[in-house]
């Protein structure tokens, strides 16, 4: 199971599988939290999932999914409220977990802006309120609309409800003609306790925490109910403005306060990382006595001109970061070590723990990553935990931070049971008995059983039905496991013959636990639908090692159709020749992935299984990418010489955001050279090759930034 593996230890195909799993989990968590107001996982777990996703994407940028959770803010709005398209997108914040992340944040902004280490770069530091964000639109000083964040682009119209909140003024004196004020709706601890007491007395549902209570109360279809729930509002940001509020963040907050909004009194302007961390400590110290929940500190660049230059990544501003409060730790007994076998045969050790509460959640499992980790070594052979190994019976410290699966931080050797033995990692697969081997340079030991290993078979099937693959409604991991155990399906092709084999009169499926007439009918219909599949999804669904969703799409776009693709894979069997060269020539396909692909297609049993599957499918051809939206989309550009209006990093980020590919050197493939003063050999080469060349101003005009 890839969810137990450290991001740094994941192989490429495990990373793809893990990104698919994280996308599904985060999507579900978003819907539960934002649309249903009934979170299924804690905020810390959510952050940990997101951090894990980001870490894996950073390591494998080509695997980043089209539906990547890092590109999404919140969830689609629930039905029931009118939808509001935000005129300025509502953003999320990237997270920092320790002091080094903050120093690095400051350093990277300086680098981006081209500021020396001794130039002043001021920030504001303010508590991160644990509520839900709200955007208030005032026109000519009158509140005309209040909208929740929704997915960042479209939220819900909750104007009638917002009007019941005392902290939200109905009218403003001296405000810009158009003013969108953004901030956090929250419930105080005292009001939360009172509300739950009233709910309990009335036999109504109680809320797990003040955040849920605030969200549930704001998103009531009957505003009379919202009125009876005491909600509060802190203003900390803005959307559309007809004129600026100030030229600094702190000035803008002051202006919002002057206009009658409540701003947080713990906000402070700081002159750099040392002062920011001091304010973090101050806010953390006050946390226990505050009457509302906060889950960290938000730092924002104070100068709004610099904020504008720094701009946004897809869902987060570059000029702000949320410094989260640390995760909790707990000590418990390690009762046993289990080995789980994944889709690609990876053997992952899992610690079974005496259940213990960590940060409000009961933990009974933790990842042990791999055999080196258990022995007290990292992937470079360096000692971890001072080289202490982990043994069954040990007293271990578990934590949950930056990773959803709890980890073992430490071992208390003074509590080690007498006569305990070092853990021996199995050299055969616990599921099928095949030899488990560890290739040189790989931290993971793998079962060599391939298709005869039941664990690999079932994991492959689960991957096949996962969201980025076939995504068959009604056929999730649980159902697949059940069907597999009962011998109904052994490989993906079997899914498409389920109805013929077990569907007659729906009797057999209907008689099974958890299935009724309707769900059985729906399942067969969903399977029929899924048989029409885009090429990229099919390639990803095959579960070939090193082939993630992104790579599968690259392959699909290159080959266009299943016939061309599968023939090319057969033709590349000798691992040389034109078909092999073509495969390796695809930007984003390396030798490791190419070998895995060609091996899978030319290994007799695996190919037969793929062909059996393809016989049931209608594979949609892959569309060519749309390059019409921006003047430089799809173009390869090179920057050279000195840029005067922006740093290289800034220029690169802007070009990439417009769909251009930024390259470091000029070649026949270069479409445009942007040459500042001092441009040397690159300008000459571009001239020789006849590549179009513009100066910085020409570039800014071209992209509409002049
Ligand atoms: S600023 C463009 N400041 O945290 C920047 N957000 O994780 C927008 N939040 O969606 C956000 N306290 O709901 C900002 N002082 C604060 C905040 C804050 C809480 C929430 C907000 C945002 C989420 C991002």
């Amino acid at each position: 199971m890839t969810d137990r593996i450290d991001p740094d230890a994941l192989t490429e195909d495990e990373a793809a599988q893990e990104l698919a799993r994280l996308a599904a989990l985060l999507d579900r968590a978003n819907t539960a939290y934002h649309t249903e107001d009934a979170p299924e996982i804690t905020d810390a777990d959510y952050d940990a999932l997101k951090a894990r996703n980001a870490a894996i994407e950073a390591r494998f940028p080509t695997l980043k999914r089209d539906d990547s959770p890092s590109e999404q803010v919140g969830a689609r709005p629930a039905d029931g409220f009118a939808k509001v398209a935000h005129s300025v997108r509502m953003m999320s914040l990237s997270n920092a977990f320790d002091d080094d992340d903050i120093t690095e944040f400051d350093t990277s902004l300086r680098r981006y802006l081209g500021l020396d280490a001794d130039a002043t770069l001021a920030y504001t530091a303010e508590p991160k309120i644990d509520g839900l964000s709200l955007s208030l639109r005032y026109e000519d000083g009158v509140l005309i609309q209040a909208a929740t964040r929704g997915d960042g682009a479209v939220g819900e119209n909750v104007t009638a409800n917002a009007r019941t909140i005392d902290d939200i003024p109905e009218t403003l004196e001296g405000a810009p003609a158009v003013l969108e004020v953004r901030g956090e709706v929250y419930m105080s601890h005292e009001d939360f306790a009172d509300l739950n007491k009233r709910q309990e007395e009335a036999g109504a549902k109680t809320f797990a925490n003040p955040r849920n209570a605030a969200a549930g109360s704001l998103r009531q279809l009957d505003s009379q109910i919202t009125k009876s729930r005491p909600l509060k509002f802190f203003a900390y940001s803005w959307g559309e403005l007809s004129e600026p509020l100030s030229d600094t963040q702190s000035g803008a907050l002051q202006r919002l306060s002057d206009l009658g909004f409540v701003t947080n009194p713990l906000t402070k302007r700081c002159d750099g990382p040392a002062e920011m961390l001091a304010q973090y400590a101050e806010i953390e110290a006050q946390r226990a006595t505050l009457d509302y929940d906060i889950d960290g500190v938000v730092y924002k660049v104070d100068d709004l001109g610099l904020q504008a230059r720094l701009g946004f990544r897809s869902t987060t501003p570059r000029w702000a970061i949320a410094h989260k409060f640390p995760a909790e730790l707990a000590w418990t007994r390690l009762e046993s070590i289990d080995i789980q076998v994944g889709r690609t045969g990876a053997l992952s050790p899992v610690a079974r723990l005496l259940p213990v509460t960590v940060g409000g959640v009961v933990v009974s499992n933790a990842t042990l990553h791999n055999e080196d980790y258990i022995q007290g070594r990292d992937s470079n052979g360096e000692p971890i935990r001072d080289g202490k190994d982990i043994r069954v019976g040990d007293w271990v410290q578990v934590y949950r931070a930056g990773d959803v699966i709890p980890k073992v931080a430490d071992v208390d050797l003074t509590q080690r049971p007498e006569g305990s033995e070092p853990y021996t990692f199995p050299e055969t697969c616990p599921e099928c008995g095949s030899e488990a081997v560890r290739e040189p340079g790989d931290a993971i030991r793998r079962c060599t059983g391939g298709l005869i290993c039941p664990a690999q078979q079932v994991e492959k099937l689960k991957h096949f039905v996962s969201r980025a693959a076939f995504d068959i409604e009604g056929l999730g991991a649980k159902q697949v496991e059940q069907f597999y155990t009962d011998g109904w399906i052994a490989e993906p092709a079997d899914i498409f013959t389920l109805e013929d084999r077990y569907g007659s009169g729906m009797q057999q499926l209907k008689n099974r636990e958890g299935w009724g007439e309707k769900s059985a009918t729906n399942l067969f219909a969903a399977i029929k639908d899924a048989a029409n599949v885009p090429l990229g999804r099919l390639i990803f669904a095959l579960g070939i090692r090193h082939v993630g969703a992104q790579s599968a799409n690259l392959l699909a776009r290159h080959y266009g159709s299943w016939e061309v693709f599968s023939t090319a894979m057969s033709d590349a069997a000798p691992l040389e020749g034109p078909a092999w060269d073509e495969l390796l020539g695809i930007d984003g396909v390396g030798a490791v992935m190419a070998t895995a692909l060609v091996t899978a297609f030319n290994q007799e049993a695996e190919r037969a299984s793929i062909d059996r599957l393809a016989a049931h499918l209608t594979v949609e051809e892959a569309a060519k990418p749309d390059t019409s939206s921006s003047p430089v989309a799809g173009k390869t550009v090179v920057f050279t010489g000195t840029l005067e209006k922006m740093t290289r990093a800034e220029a690169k980020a802007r070009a990439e955001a417009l769909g251009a590919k930024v390259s470091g050197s000029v070649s026949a493939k270069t479409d445009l050279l942007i040459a500042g003063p001092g441009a040397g050999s690159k300008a000459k080469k571009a001239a020789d090759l006849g590549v179009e060349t513009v100066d910085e101003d020409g570039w800014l005009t071209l992209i509409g930034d002049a």
Side-chain angles (χ1 to χ4, degrees), residues 477-504:
K478 204 171 109 205
Q479 291 79 8
V480 160
E481 195 149 358
Q482 189 188 35
F483 288 167
Y484 178 84
T485 312
D486 296 350
W488 283 27
I489 53 175
E491 61 170 20
D494 298 340
I495 292 172
F496 298 92
T497 57
L498 259 180
E499 183 167 13
D500 289 348
R501 291 180 293 131
Y502 297 99
S504 60

Side-chain angles (χ1 to χ4, degrees), residues 91-93 126-129 133 149 184 236 298 300 317 319:
M91 291 290 181
S92 186
L93 292 168
E126 61 192 288
K128 183 168 189 299
I129 316 297
S133 46
R149 179 169 68 174
E184 203 83 351
Y236 51 64
V298 184
K300 300 172 186 168
W319 42 265

Side-chain angles (χ1 to χ4, degrees), residues 377-700:
R377 285 195 309 267
D378 70 9
S379 53
N380 301 317
E382 299 294 324
I384 46 175
R385 301 181 300 270
D386 296 331
K388 287 182 269 184
D389 70 330
I390 296 174
R391 301 183 185 183
V392 173
D394 270 347
W395 192 243
V396 292
Q397 189 184 42
V398 284
Y399 70 105
R400 305 181 319 124
D403 202 337
V404 64
I405 308 297
K407 292 187 181 192
V408 172
D410 204 0
V411 181
D412 185 349
L413 292 184
T414 65
Q415 306 270 351
R416 178 165 278 176
E418 226 168 279
S420 80
E421 294 282 335
Y423 178 72
T424 321
F425 204 89
E427 293 184 355
T428 54
C429 171
E431 298 285 341
C432 72
S434 303
E435 196 189 350
V437 297
R438 192 172 161 187
E439 301 286 346
D442 194 351
I444 308 288
R445 191 171 282 279
R446 286 173 204 279
C447 161
T448 52
L451 289 179
I452 70 141
C453 176
Q456 289 188 52
Q457 272 185 343
V458 81
E459 292 305 321
K460 256 187 181 276
L461 282 164
K462 285 188 198 166
H463 170 79
F464 185 83
V465 299
S466 66
R467 263 176 78 88
F470 272 67
D471 193 19
I472 302 172
E473 177 95 38
L475 193 62
K478 204 171 109 205
Q479 291 79 8
V480 160
E481 195 149 358
Q482 189 188 35
F483 288 167
Y484 178 84
T485 312
D486 296 350
W488 283 27
I489 53 175
E491 61 170 20
D494 298 340
I495 292 172
F496 298 92
T497 57
L498 259 180
E499 183 167 13
D500 289 348
R501 291 180 293 131
Y502 297 99
S504 60
M506 306 282 169
Q507 257 337 306
Q508 296 205 52
L509 184 55
K510 251 173 36 189
N511 291 343
R512 299 181 64 124
E513 205 188 318
W515 291 93
E517 171 114 23
K518 190 155 189 302
S519 52
T521 316
N522 288 347
L523 174 66
F524 294 136
I527 292 175
K528 268 210 187 78
D529 270 1
N532 281 313
V533 64
L535 179 58
R537 275 185 184 256
L538 170 58
I539 298 174
F540 174 65
L542 297 177
I544 296 167
R545 236 178 120 185
H546 307 294
V547 183
Q550 203 81 14
S551 316
N553 283 329
L554 277 179
L555 292 162
R557 279 199 292 270
H558 181 84
Y559 291 102
S561 75
W562 174 253
E563 286 66 33
V564 175
F565 171 67
S566 52
T567 310
M569 294 307 105
S570 304
D571 293 348
L575 303 186
E576 59 182 19
W580 173 252
D581 291 343
E582 180 181 346
L583 177 59
L584 275 185
I586 302 173
D587 192 14
V589 176
V592 174
M593 191 201 305
T595 310
L597 271 163
V598 174
T599 311
F601 273 80
N602 293 286
Q603 204 269 336
E604 208 178 321
E606 193 152 358
R607 178 59 183 259
S609 165
I610 293 175
D611 289 344
R612 279 193 294 275
L613 167 68
H616 296 288
L617 307 175
T618 309
V619 185
E620 290 167 25
E621 300 197 352
K624 295 271 172 257
D626 174 17
T627 52
S628 60
S629 47
S630 116
V632 293
K635 298 249 161 73
T636 301
V637 303
V638 176
F639 291 94
T640 188
T642 313
L643 300 178
E644 285 162 345
K645 301 202 167 130
M646 53 196 164
T647 60
R648 272 299 166 79
E650 200 172 347
K652 181 165 186 281
R654 183 82 183 107
E656 283 172 352
L658 290 165
K661 190 173 160 212
V662 180
S663 166
S665 59
V666 175
S667 74
K669 287 194 190 146
T670 311
D671 294 301
L672 183 65
L673 179 76
I674 298 100
S681 60
K682 285 184 192 163
K684 183 171 177 306
K685 186 159 182 201
D688 292 347
L689 290 168
V691 170
E692 189 186 343
T693 302
V694 291
D695 62 10
E696 191 176 1
D697 285 336
W699 163 253
L700 293 174

Side-chain angles (χ1 to χ4, degrees), residues 38-65:
E40 291 170 356
I41 60 174
T42 64
D43 289 359
D45 280 350
Y46 181 85
D47 288 342
L49 283 172
K50 272 208 119 149
R52 181 169 172 82
N53 188 73
I56 299 173
E57 285 179 349
R59 223 186 120 213
F60 298 99
T62 56
L63 295 186
K64 187 162 172 183
R65 301 161 55 87

Side-chain angles (χ1 to χ4, degrees), residues 16-299:
Q17 184 188 343
E18 182 61 354
L19 288 175
R21 189 186 71 90
L22 290 169
L25 275 177
L26 284 161
D27 185 60
R28 175 63 216 136
N30 276 337
T31 304
Y33 185 97
H34 293 281
T35 312
E36 296 162 6
D37 288 332
E40 291 170 356
I41 60 174
T42 64
D43 289 359
D45 280 350
Y46 181 85
D47 288 342
L49 283 172
K50 272 208 119 149
R52 181 169 172 82
N53 188 73
I56 299 173
E57 285 179 349
R59 223 186 120 213
F60 298 99
T62 56
L63 295 186
K64 187 162 172 183
R65 301 161 55 87
D66 292 341
D67 64 346
S68 163
S70 24
E71 304 296 325
Q72 284 152 28
V73 182
R76 279 182 302 283
D79 291 335
F81 288 99
K83 311 288 179 271
V84 174
H86 296 297
S87 52
V88 175
R89 225 181 123 84
M90 288 186 80
M91 291 290 181
S92 186
L93 292 168
S94 50
N95 290 324
F97 296 97
D98 57 30
D99 294 4
D100 287 349
D101 291 344
I102 302 311
T103 332
E104 171 52 29
F105 171 64
D106 179 65
T107 312
S108 72
L109 295 195
R110 286 174 184 280
R111 205 181 305 126
Y112 194 100
L113 294 166
L115 292 180
D116 293 341
D118 49 5
T120 356
L121 181 55
Y123 299 86
T124 55
E126 61 192 288
K128 183 168 189 299
I129 316 297
D130 197 8
L132 71 155
S133 46
L134 187 68
S135 185
L136 306 169
R137 186 176 175 92
Y138 292 83
E139 286 181 9
D140 299 320
V142 180
L143 175 65
I144 59 144
Q145 188 175 71
T148 63
R149 179 169 68 174
D151 64 3
V154 177
E156 292 166 337
N157 187 333
V158 291
T159 314
N161 297 349
R163 289 189 201 282
T164 69
I165 301 176
D166 288 347
D167 290 343
I168 297 179
E170 278 282 342
T171 56
L172 307 173
E173 287 290 326
V178 176
L179 167 63
E180 281 183 5
V181 176
R182 292 179 174 175
E184 203 83 351
V185 173
Y186 67 100
M187 191 178 280
S188 75
H189 292 159
E190 194 184 347
D191 290 335
F192 167 68
D194 283 353
L195 172 63
N196 262 357
K197 198 158 148 246
R198 278 188 279 137
Q199 292 286 104
E200 210 171 303
E201 282 163 7
K205 113 174 180 192
T206 55
F207 295 96
N209 54 49
R211 202 215 80 88
N212 293 353
S217 303
L218 183 68
R219 294 172 63 258
Q220 285 290 335
L221 290 171
D222 177 356
S223 60
Q224 283 310 311
I225 300 184
T226 310
K227 198 175 163 70
S228 71
R229 310 264 178 93
L231 294 173
K232 295 194 155 93
F233 181 78
F234 278 125
Y236 51 64
S237 169
W238 53 90
E240 192 179 342
L241 294 174
S242 54
E243 60 187 85
L245 289 170
S246 166
D247 50 11
T248 59
Q249 179 77 31
S250 44
L253 286 180
Q254 184 56 51
R255 179 86 199 280
L256 290 175
S257 163
D258 294 344
L259 284 167
F261 292 95
V262 184
T263 55
N264 194 288
L266 292 170
T267 307
K268 190 171 174 240
R269 189 176 175 282
C270 303
D271 255 343
E275 285 187 20
M276 289 150 83
L277 295 175
Q279 183 63 5
Y280 175 88
E282 171 65 29
I283 293 174
E284 194 179 24
Q286 296 212 25
R287 184 183 186 191
T289 53
L290 292 177
D291 191 29
Y292 48 89
D293 279 351
I294 61 174
D295 57 351
V297 173
V298 184
Y299 309 114

